[in-house]
Amino acid sequence: TPLTVINGYLEMLQDAEVPAHVHRAHEQMLAQSQRMTLLVNDLIELSRLESASMERPGEWFNIREICQQTVSQLQNYREGAVPRLVDGDAVEVEGYPDEMRTVLVNLVTNALKYGGDSEVVVRLKEIPRGLKVSVTDKGPGIPPEHLGRITERFYRVDDSRDSTTGGSGLGLAIVKHALEHVDTELNIESTPGAGSTFSFILPPYRVRS
Ligand code: ADP
């Protein structure tokens, strides 16, 4: 995108010798253009998901592997909080592996970003209604009045706090759409002061052990 060019030049100029006030301005430009890149990428991802055909053939894949990779990839995302996977048997599910990866990366990243220094646990559990996938943190939780709205695009619980985390407010909207493609929906349970669990249940016809 055009932003790639802007980012490239801003990075190239990072080592240039300039007066302090120009240096500060340059740092701001670089930070904001990187943030804009994340926002544009999320918007592209969301519109791709919205226009994806529901008739695409899915494929069988090992969801445990994707959970494990997500957890490993995010080990160093935040000092003091480490994600781990608690799983049952290896389970195959039918759907779209890239979209499942996006779902898990978004949920685990959120748990690490907003869950304070608590442990983050990803669980896979076979239950009579299908395969339950959950991501739990023991962070500050989400006040009940926000719960119904946080999957809306651009909705963020506390802008002043969250501006430091640099999110786009699109992550959960992306998750919601991706889950619709595999016939399920996002459940959110949260207790202020005790933490949050984001989960979904993949229906039995999309699961095999
Ligand atoms: P973003 O992280 O880019 O702001 P999301 O759509 O992923 O956007 O999340 C929307 C909002 O929901 C976040 O800004 C945050 O306020 C809240 N949120 C999401 N996950 C959690 C969590 N695990 N604990 C507390 N709040 C959360």
Side-chain angles (χ1 to χ4, degrees), residues 64-65 67-68 84-90 122-125:
R64 182 177 176 275
E65 218 167 84
C67 291
Q68 188 57 61
R84 70 188 173 93
L85 171 65
V86 174
D87 55 347
D89 301 325
V122 180
R123 262 193 198 86
L124 283 177
K125 194 168 161 44

Side-chain angles (χ1 to χ4, degrees), residues 42 106-107 110-111 113-115 137 140-142 150 152 155-158 161-162 165-173 196 198:
D42 276 355
N106 270 305
L107 293 180
N110 275 354
K113 267 197 307 198
Y114 306 111
D137 67 68
I142 302 157
I150 60 171
E152 286 174 18
Y155 193 86
R156 315 191 72 201
V157 171
D158 174 353
R161 186 192 70 189
D162 292 352
T165 60
S168 64
L170 292 170
L172 291 177
S196 315
F198 289 73

Side-chain angles (χ1 to χ4, degrees), residues 118-156:
S118 78
E119 180 184 54
V120 170
V121 176
V122 180
R123 262 193 198 86
L124 283 177
K125 194 168 161 44
E126 284 194 83
I127 58 172
R129 279 196 291 146
L131 178 72
K132 182 168 180 182
V133 184
S134 62
V135 178
T136 301
D137 67 68
K138 295 200 164 55
I142 302 157
E145 65 271 24
H146 295 287
L147 279 183
R149 299 199 58 194
I150 60 171
T151 57
E152 286 174 18
R153 53 186 63 191
F154 301 118
Y155 193 86
R156 315 191 72 201

Side-chain angles (χ1 to χ4, degrees), residues 37-53:
T37 305
L38 293 178
L39 178 59
V40 169
N41 286 345
D42 276 355
L43 277 169
I44 292 171
E45 177 72 18
L46 188 58
S47 75
R48 202 185 58 74
L49 283 165
E50 277 173 345
S51 58
S53 156

